[in-house]
Amino acid sequence: MAPSSVLQEWHSSGSCPTGTIPIRRLPKNAVNPDMAMIQPFHPSSHRFVDGSNSPTDEFFCGPYTIECIPAQFAVAVGLNWPYHGASALLPSYRPTKIEPHEISSTCIVIAATVNRTWVGDHGPGDFPPDVTNQIVVGLMASTSIFGNDNPNLYVYYTSDGGKRNRCFNFLCHGFIQTSSKIALGTSFINGGSSITYEGVPYVAMSIHKVPGQQQWWVSVNDTIIGYFPHTLFPTFFPESYINQLGGIVRNSRPNGVHTDTTMGNGRTPENGGSAVIKAYLAVAANGMDKKDIPVTLGATAPKCYDATVLGENLQVPGYDIAYGGPGGSGCDQ
């Protein structure tokens, strides 16, 4: 189903003149959204659902900000590289429960190694040894960042694996917005867009390169909203080696117990009726869309957040990925 329009909540207050872009001011008491948490699922630091690695949480701590909170993932990972991007329809859910200082996100992540020797010695299907370069686009709910629990549009990038150089929306130099119609940090009318499946609103998103160009473009419902210049990545980012789709929850674990912040619609694929990312397509090296079944599933806490590939979408090209869960103390089992 092709999108016919893109409407966000702020449009009810007006529009931006030609030659300007909309920029949302974060609440004065907003927690620093230092998004080092958005790391691709990688065997060196996470547990796969097949139990091949021991469970670990990633911590990126300095003074207490949201980046100190451990992340939980439920994702599908494509490794049939080289990729020039990814696209999918992301469901736009407002979490049924989200605790203060926590995050619930649905996103597309692309990532690349900078080890060119490894690239020459390996082929599609192999995990890269690092995920130094990363770009993310998605929908995120966080009352402490945005001042509401809406699924708000966001972008993120890092050129050093999230160690020091990382940027969320416009909080530092990076993303160049070109659209005056879509604002980062805001939600869509009724929580979604003009795309609806079985009553669930969806937003079409993509990260992609154009043949002959070096920058990475971001589009929302077929509207290009801006790009990440190639100069942001001094260690070379001509293609991606991981395409990741699914959910991420940042959990604060008060008193050492996992909270009830939900991922997706709060249901796991195992129990049925979970959130579904629809019509995932990879962008091939020639710039064309290609069907690309994710070859790996990853979950840090499969008792409460999980993911699975449902198969090809019968309505639009691509693969559907179910993900999500309720959170809660079961995450610690």
Side-chain angles (χ1 to χ4, degrees):
M1 183 182 300
S4 58
S5 63
V6 180
L7 295 175
Q8 291 187 293
E9 299 290 349
W10 68 275
H11 290 154
S12 61
S13 301
S15 60
C16 287
T18 301
T20 66
I21 63 171
I23 299 177
R24 186 195 175 193
R25 293 185 178 91
L26 293 179
K28 292 182 179 180
N29 61 346
V31 171
N32 176 20
D34 192 333
M35 302 312 297
M37 46 75 73
I38 306 178
Q39 299 293 314
F41 207 89
H42 196 277
S44 65
S45 57
H46 297 101
R47 176 167 61 93
F48 285 89
V49 292
D50 63 7
S52 59
N53 292 86
S54 60
T56 59
D57 280 323
E58 288 196 346
F59 291 83
F60 297 86
C61 290
Y64 179 75
T65 57
I66 210 156
E67 86 262 23
C68 292
I69 303 174
Q72 302 285 8
F73 295 74
V75 297
V77 183
L79 294 171
N80 297 307
W81 49 267
Y83 298 121
H84 275 202
S87 66
L89 298 172
L90 303 188
S92 181
Y93 285 107
R94 178 178 287 109
T96 55
K97 187 168 185 179
I98 185 167
E99 297 290 339
H101 304 297
E102 297 192 352
I103 286 171
S104 184
S105 168
T106 298
C107 58
I108 300 172
V109 184
I110 67 168
T113 177
V114 295
N115 188 331
R116 307 309 295 176
T117 300
W118 180 91
V119 172
D121 294 338
H122 293 75
D126 292 336
F127 259 99
D130 65 84
V131 285
T132 299
N133 292 323
Q134 305 166 27
I135 293 175
V136 184
V137 61
L139 299 169
M140 177 189 296
S142 174
T143 57
S144 54
I145 293 177
F146 299 109
N148 59 55
D149 60 356
N150 294 329
N152 294 293
L153 176 67
Y154 76 99
V155 296
Y156 161 85
Y157 90 94
T158 179
S159 60
D160 64 1
K163 296 175 182 177
R164 292 187 178 182
N165 182 22
R166 47 191 185 252
C167 193
F168 175 81
N169 288 355
F170 294 125
L171 294 187
C172 53
H173 172 71
F175 185 68
I176 306 298
Q177 181 155 343
T178 59
S179 171
S180 62
K181 300 183 181 300
I182 299 177
L184 297 176
T186 63
S187 61
F188 294 82
I189 293 295
N190 297 322
S193 68
S194 58
I195 312 169
T196 304
Y197 289 99
E198 298 177 350
V200 178
Y202 278 79
V203 181
M205 297 191 187
S206 75
I207 307 166
H208 60 279
K209 295 190 78 171
V210 174
Q213 298 183 10
Q214 294 180 294
Q215 63 267 37
W216 290 94
W217 293 92
V218 175
S219 66
V220 176
N221 281 11
D222 290 344
T223 299
I224 291 178
I225 65 170
Y227 64 94
F228 290 94
H230 74 281
T231 52
L232 296 175
F233 306 96
T235 48
F236 203 60
F237 195 2
E239 65 265 316
S240 62
Y241 299 89
I242 288 177
N243 279 355
Q244 173 184 295
L245 304 98
I248 304 173
V249 165
R250 199 74 165 170
N251 194 269
S252 59
R253 299 184 63 84
N255 301 317
V257 179
H258 201 288
T259 68
D260 296 328
T261 289
T262 57
M263 178 190 293
N265 63 6
R267 299 178 182 176
T268 61
E270 179 183 10
N271 293 329
S274 66
V276 177
I277 291 174
K278 290 183 177 289
Y280 157 60
L281 289 171
V283 180
N286 62 2
M288 302 296 291
D289 289 337
K290 71 172 182 178
K291 294 181 181 179
D292 175 58
I293 184 169
V295 297
T296 299
L297 299 172
T300 51
K303 295 291 185 181
C304 65
Y305 305 123
D306 209 351
T308 189
V309 177
L310 298 178
E312 284 197 53
N313 189 298
L314 299 180
Q315 296 173 290
V316 290
Y319 282 89
D320 289 354
I321 299 156
Y323 73 101
S329 59
C331 291
D332 298 326
Q333 297 176 4

